């Protein structure tokens, strides 16, 4: 883990701030709109900082495999929300995903019916999580309800690594470049 105090001109190793004695890989770090930081990685590793990385707490995640990404949304930015809790979705190896509705304190785990790994994700303005992965996998759901998942496959079958939303389409990036996918109404 590296930190910069001069906008990236110089960097300092700060890995000792994390409880990671086995040096597991750190695969994704995000900042939420309220300046909280979250990291996920190998072996179900998860960390949370409320002070811009000065100190880190270890999150207890319900899955001990590799996590490739995490996305977060502060509830005050969620349409119709009245509190400021942070919703999180962590995802990774063999179709495993989990959600937290309280900033990483409690988690709910879901194993998809596919073994395709999930590699990228994005939150829509309507508070739907969109995840993409191997084999053209596209998954979308509301974090509050992991029982209702919409699972589709892009016809290219490409490994999709990143997703964004623009107007009424998903912008997908992966193995075969960039493509669009219409959002379902």
């Amino acid at each position: 883990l590296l930190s910069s105090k001069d906008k990236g001109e110089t960097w300092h190793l700060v890995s000792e701030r994390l409880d990671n004695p086995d040096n597991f890989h750190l695969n994704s770090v995000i900042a939420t709109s309220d300046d909280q930081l979250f990291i996920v990685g190998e072996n179900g590793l998860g960390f949370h900082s409320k002070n811009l990385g000065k100190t880190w707490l270890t999150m207890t995640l319900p899955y001990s495999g590799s996590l490739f990404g995490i996305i977060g949304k502060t509830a005050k930015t969620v349409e119709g929300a009245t509190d400021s809790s942070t919703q999180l979705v962590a995802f990774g190896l063999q179709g495993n995903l989990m959600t937290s509705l309280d900033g990483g304190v409690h988690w709910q785990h879901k194993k998809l019916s596919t073994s395709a790994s999930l590699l990228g994700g994005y939150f829509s303005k309507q508070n739907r999580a969109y995840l993409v992965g191997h084999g053209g996998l596209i998954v979308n759901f509301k974090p509050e309800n992991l029982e209702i998942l919409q699972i589709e496959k892009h016809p290219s079958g490409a490994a999709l690594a990143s997703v964004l939303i623009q107007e009424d389409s998903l912008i997908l990036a992966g193995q075969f470049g960039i493509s669009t996918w219409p959002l379902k109404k």
Side-chain angles (χ1 to χ4, degrees):
L1 183 65
L2 300 171
S3 176
S4 175
K5 294 181 180 178
D6 57 10
K7 299 182 182 179
E9 290 290 320
T10 60
W11 292 88
H12 305 281
L13 186 64
V14 293
S15 296
E16 77 282 352
R17 294 180 187 172
L18 302 177
D19 183 17
N20 186 11
D22 294 318
N23 292 316
F24 288 122
H25 293 127
L26 308 174
N27 293 328
S28 181
V29 59
I30 62 165
T32 58
S33 62
D34 58 352
D35 291 330
Q36 295 186 70
L37 302 175
F38 295 89
I39 296 174
V40 294
E42 190 178 20
N43 203 45
L45 203 57
F47 299 103
H48 175 212
S49 176
K50 294 182 181 180
N51 57 14
L52 295 173
K54 290 180 185 132
T55 60
W56 293 87
L57 300 171
T58 301
M59 293 186 296
T60 303
L61 300 170
Y63 172 66
S64 61
S66 289
L67 297 171
F68 301 131
I70 185 169
I71 57 175
K73 189 167 196 136
T74 304
K76 65 183 172 187
T77 63
V78 174
E79 194 174 283
T82 58
D83 65 21
S84 62
S85 63
T86 300
Q87 294 184 352
L88 301 165
V89 177
F91 47 90
L93 194 64
Q94 297 182 339
N96 282 281
L97 66 99
M98 59 206 77
T99 61
S100 173
L101 305 178
D102 58 8
V105 177
H106 300 94
W107 291 87
Q108 182 180 1
H109 177 238
K110 177 76 173 183
K111 168 70 173 96
L112 299 179
S113 59
T114 177
S115 63
S117 293
L118 297 162
L119 306 174
Y122 190 80
F123 263 114
S124 73
K125 290 180 183 174
Q126 295 75 30
N127 196 38
R128 290 195 75 79
Y130 288 83
L131 304 178
V132 296
H134 287 152
L137 185 63
I138 302 170
V139 181
N140 84 78
F141 58 94
K142 289 248 185 204
E144 304 85 23
N145 187 354
L146 287 179
E147 297 307 313
I148 301 175
L149 299 165
Q150 294 179 359
I151 301 174
E152 301 176 89
K153 290 222 175 197
H154 191 271
S156 70
L160 301 172
S162 186
V163 58
L164 296 171
I165 297 176
Q166 186 175 39
E167 297 174 12
D168 291 334
S169 295
L170 297 178
I171 309 300
L172 306 167
Q175 180 180 12
F176 299 137
I178 297 173
S179 62
T180 61
W181 184 263
L183 287 174
K184 292 193 173 183
K185 302 286 183 183

